[in-house]
Amino acid sequence: MSYQRVLLKLSGEALMGELGYGIDPKVVSEIAQEIADVVNSGVQIAVVVGGGNIFRGVKASAAGMDRATADYIGMIATVMNAMTLQDALERIGIPTRVQSAIAMQELAEPYIRRRAIRHLEKGRVVVFGAGSGNPFFTTDTTAALRAAEIDAEVIFKATKVDGIYDADPKINPHARRYQSLTYGHVLNHELKVMDSTAIALCKENNIPILVFDLTVGGNIIRAVKGEPVGTIVGGFCEVS
């Protein structure tokens, strides 16, 4: 199965590569080129980016900071990442719009659903920043929300592992990778794919989630073409 409109969920950590903090411009350029390959193939792509490479609200709140304040700071970090990705994309000729759920009119468009869809239809990449604009919700949940709003056919959850396993493959060499999973299995077994709110939202709107390894070059375009990469959530339980 190939897709025509996808939503790519990038963690903030994906942008820092092997660095301990911040943004690795080389890694961002590589990700931008992969996104460009998708656009040049005629597929519409939107991106939700996290901010964990700069600030993690949950960690800060655990250390005593007010949770809502910490989450708002994290949202601002995601806008920094969104602007960085926009710059990398536009340097290689891919028109890109950043839409922020928190008003930052000098830096980004406000999030407007119809405008986002129109950008996609015109072949532009839309990068959603500032999460959902509300504290206590993760960028995973934002990805599920935006995917439903723009009628994306699938969420690509780009990670550093090649799918979902029945055990930690770094600890258990006999861990088996799932080829597909039901939403219920992920929720019932508390698998660390996305948070439960995001999974439930995807289940309600019948949006599959494809989990794959971002560090393997070409995986995004392979996923767009429907090639077997990673684990798909939304089907039935099958291990490889």
Side-chain angles (χ1 to χ4, degrees), residues 8 10 31 34-35 38 45 156 158 212 214 216-225:
L8 174 65
L10 290 175
I31 294 172
E34 295 231 8
I35 294 172
V38 173
I45 182 167
F156 289 165
F212 63 89
L214 179 66
V216 177
N219 258 0
I220 298 177
I221 191 66
R222 292 188 193 99
V224 165
K225 293 178 179 178

Side-chain angles (χ1 to χ4, degrees), residues 185-223:
H185 187 94
V186 172
L187 289 169
N188 293 337
H189 291 80
E190 299 183 347
L191 299 179
K192 304 301 181 182
V193 180
M194 302 173 86
D195 66 80
S196 59
T197 304
I199 296 295
L201 193 54
C202 288
K203 181 180 180 181
E204 289 174 9
N205 292 279
N206 196 30
I207 303 170
I209 306 159
L210 181 62
V211 181
F212 63 89
D213 190 349
L214 179 66
T215 65
V216 177
N219 258 0
I220 298 177
I221 191 66
R222 292 188 193 99

Side-chain angles (χ1 to χ4, degrees), residues 142-176:
T142 301
L145 176 63
R146 296 290 183 253
E149 288 179 307
I150 66 171
D151 297 320
E153 297 167 277
V154 65
I155 294 175
F156 289 165
K157 170 79 171 177
T159 69
K160 293 184 178 180
V161 293
D162 63 345
I164 305 169
Y165 286 78
D166 61 359
D168 188 340
K170 295 180 180 179
I171 299 174
N172 183 356
H174 302 294
R176 297 182 299 168

Side-chain angles (χ1 to χ4, degrees), residues 18 22 85 94 98 182 188 209 223 236:
E18 299 302 319
L85 184 59
I94 303 299
V98 172
T182 64
N188 293 337
I209 306 159
F236 54 93

